[in-house]
Amino acid sequence: MDAEVIVVGAGPTGLMLAGELALAGVRVRVVERRDSPQRHSRALTLHPRSVEVLDQRGLADAFLVEGKPVPGWHFAGLPTRLDFAALDSRHGYTLFLAQARTERLLTEWVRDLGVPISRGSVVTGVSQDHGGVTVAVGDTELTAKYVVGCDGGRSVVRRAARIEFPGTDETLTGMLGDFAVVDASTLSRAESGGVLAVPLGDGTTRFVVVDPQRMRESSSTPVTLHEFRTSLLRSCGTDFGVAEPRWLSRFGNATRLAMRYRAGRVLLAGDAAHIHFPAAGQGLNAGLQDAVNLGWKLAAAVHGWAPDGLLDTYHDERHPVGAAVTANTEVQTLLLELTLVGQYERPATALRALLDDLLGIDVVNRRIAGAVSALDTRYGTSAEPLIGARMPDIALSSHASVYELLHGGSFLLLTMSGVGPATGEVAGWADRVVLGTASSGSHPALAGVTEVLVRPDGHVAWLSRDDRPVVERTNALMAWAGRQTERTDGRGQI
Ligand SMILES: Cc1cc2nc3c(=O)[nH]c(=O)nc-3n(C[C@H](O)[C@H](O)[C@H](O)COP(=O)(O)OP(=O)(O)OC[C@H]3O[C@@H](n4cnc5c(N)ncnc54)[C@H](O)[C@@H]3O)c2cc1C
């Protein structure tokens, strides 16, 4: 076998997944169509949960050095900002960082972990049988136990696996342009014209415009400099002196969600599984979080310790998130479109004012900020609110924090009672579980909690309020971390 897992696509999702798999000891190979890394950046944002996820792997500092934190974010371009700073996270901001730089930093991580990236390799087909997958790359065939399509919205892997991709075609497009020359003294006029203008940190400025007179143009139609300038002038009364375009592109609101994220040994993640208008900048973020949800589960399947059904929880947990993201982008796009269509302009403006008013109510703002930041993503429906939610990054008695103990990609069994498991009780999972101790007073959500099992992706798998939950804990470990590894020396290993 050429690898245990083949990841198709070295975009942000494929790179994150490859890193997660390598960290878990899986032999992984990335196959990428492009000869060299992408120079242009579609995405510019890393939202709070994505920064947390990077922090869980010890990567956040490298991203923070290059990015710029922005405390408030928008929903549908409404003037009242989403207050990420009010959320329960050390990373309550959006990190402005161009996608090309995110991909470069992830590539460095993946290379350090020894993952081969085959560039200039176009995947043309995938087949599978009970023992593995065969991936056609030009004239050659690669074999592996599993393949993951992280190959974007037009995913070849998705088509080869015959996974349906229902949704709606594009009805509206916007334009983006990155310019080396702008008249900085005019930039304050962008917002009033509904135009986004942001410096990308590489000497260019990104403009994004949705012009009612050009918004029915197909995204496959190339953008000209003249068209872009004319649209800026129409929207803002100035063309901002834009010149020397580095990239002009058109993007649309086609919205689709894969029917299944898994078909046997073929899985999908990122844009291969969900596409939508880039409203509130969520696509790349959702892809990173797909990858972190999938990585440890796929590693468990490869290593043979996955409990029954674990790999299917990837679809069960991430498909609803994909559905929620596509739905909220459709709401945002509809609001934008209504405002731009003459006959609805007045009621649409009134609707926006009403929604903006509602966003001013703390609990409403908190709810939408929790969704867009992805901090409120919760898996399952346990009556215990913390189960399925992300574990807060509390300080531990060892002076480390929860996220530091997750750097290696293991489960974390956290004891708050001061008693903790006896060595022999957890020794069979020592290759998958690390131990930590904290005080139950370290976070309000932990009041009365004696033990917590945190998954490698940072979500809470199980908790107890019992002082000695020996049987409960063993059951939880078996349900999530699988059967115990045989001990050869008959002694505990943790
Ligand atoms: C204008 C615009 C602005 C956006 N802004 C934001 C934002 O601010 N925040 C945000 O979160 N998201 C944003 N997005 C969305 C974001 O860019 C995508 O969600 C993200 O790129 C998805 O990452 P991915 O790795 O899943 O797919 P991609 O980035 O599409 O990567 C897929 C990779 O697979 C490779 N590939 C494709 N086919 C094959 C094949 N057959 N064989 C081998 N390799 C193949 C491609 O070359 C590519 O490298 C924006 C999108 C647009 C259009």
Side-chain angles (χ1 to χ4, degrees), residues 305-307 310 411 428-429 432 474 476-485:
W305 59 256
L310 181 72
F411 285 86
W429 291 278
R432 270 157 272 164
T474 302
L477 283 166
M478 291 206 311
W480 287 100
R483 63 174 182 275
Q484 306 187 47
T485 306

Side-chain angles (χ1 to χ4, degrees), residues 112-394:
D112 287 349
L113 289 166
V115 178
I117 302 179
S118 308
R119 290 198 165 273
S121 304
V122 183
V123 169
T124 50
V126 170
S127 59
Q128 60 172 316
D129 59 29
H130 67 279
V133 293
T134 303
V135 177
V137 183
D139 295 339
T140 52
E141 287 189 336
L142 299 174
T143 54
K145 290 182 179 171
Y146 293 91
V147 60
V148 188
C150 302
D151 49 342
R154 297 194 171 88
S155 172
V156 166
V157 176
R158 186 185 63 234
R159 280 166 216 220
R162 298 178 195 281
I163 296 177
E164 287 173 60
F165 200 36
T168 49
D169 290 335
E170 147 189 315
T171 57
L172 171 144
T173 58
M175 291 182 283
L176 70 78
D178 295 345
F179 298 94
V181 175
V182 297
D183 175 359
S185 67
T186 57
L187 286 182
S188 58
R189 291 163 70 180
E191 200 169 330
S192 58
V195 165
L196 177 80
V198 278
L200 294 186
D202 61 356
T204 63
T205 304
R206 158 78 47 93
F207 286 81
V208 178
V209 56
V210 181
D211 175 359
Q213 293 197 29
R214 305 298 300 154
M215 68 184 184
R216 305 300 177 199
E217 199 61 58
S218 159
S219 58
S220 58
T221 308
V223 178
T224 66
L225 179 57
H226 174 72
E227 178 190 15
F228 206 96
R229 281 183 171 144
T230 309
S231 285
L232 289 178
L233 200 57
R234 219 171 0 240
S235 304
C236 304
T238 170
D239 70 4
F240 302 95
V242 296
E244 295 186 28
R246 296 291 180 256
W247 188 37
L248 294 171
S249 180
R250 212 184 300 265
F251 55 94
N253 68 334
T255 303
R256 296 182 177 277
L257 178 66
M259 196 70 104
R260 290 174 292 148
Y261 281 20
R262 177 184 181 197
R265 293 178 173 274
V266 183
L267 297 113
L268 301 176
D271 276 19
H274 38 74
I275 55 164
H276 48 80
F277 202 64
Q282 300 169 87
L284 182 153
N285 288 273
L288 292 183
Q289 288 149 46
D290 287 346
V292 173
N293 184 289
L294 174 59
W296 64 278
K297 296 173 182 174
L298 193 50
V302 168
H303 293 319
W305 59 256
D308 281 352
L310 181 72
L311 194 51
D312 285 326
T313 67
Y314 168 60
H315 169 93
D316 299 343
E317 294 183 346
R318 292 304 299 174
H319 189 269
V321 174
V325 170
T326 49
N328 91 42
T329 58
E330 285 185 299
V331 168
Q332 296 185 71
T333 314
L334 180 63
L335 270 176
L336 170 71
E337 186 170 4
L338 286 176
T339 324
L340 296 174
V341 176
Q343 80 191 95
Y344 297 121
E345 195 183 335
R346 221 162 48 93
T349 304
L351 177 61
R352 289 178 69 83
L354 177 77
L355 293 173
D356 192 55
D357 206 24
L358 293 176
L359 263 193
I361 301 170
D362 282 352
V363 68
V364 175
N365 196 297
R366 165 92 199 45
R367 176 78 166 258
I368 298 181
V372 172
S373 65
L375 291 177
D376 280 358
T377 298
R378 184 169 172 242
Y379 303 134
T381 53
S382 170
E384 278 282 1
L386 197 55
I387 292 185
R390 55 183 256 289
M391 180 69 192
D393 188 20
I394 57 171

Side-chain angles (χ1 to χ4, degrees), residues 9 12-13 32-33 42-45 99 123 151 271 281 283-285:
T13 307
E32 165 58 46
R33 177 179 60 188
R42 283 178 283 160
L44 303 179
T45 59
Q99 181 166 341
V123 169
D151 49 342
D271 276 19
L284 182 153
N285 288 273

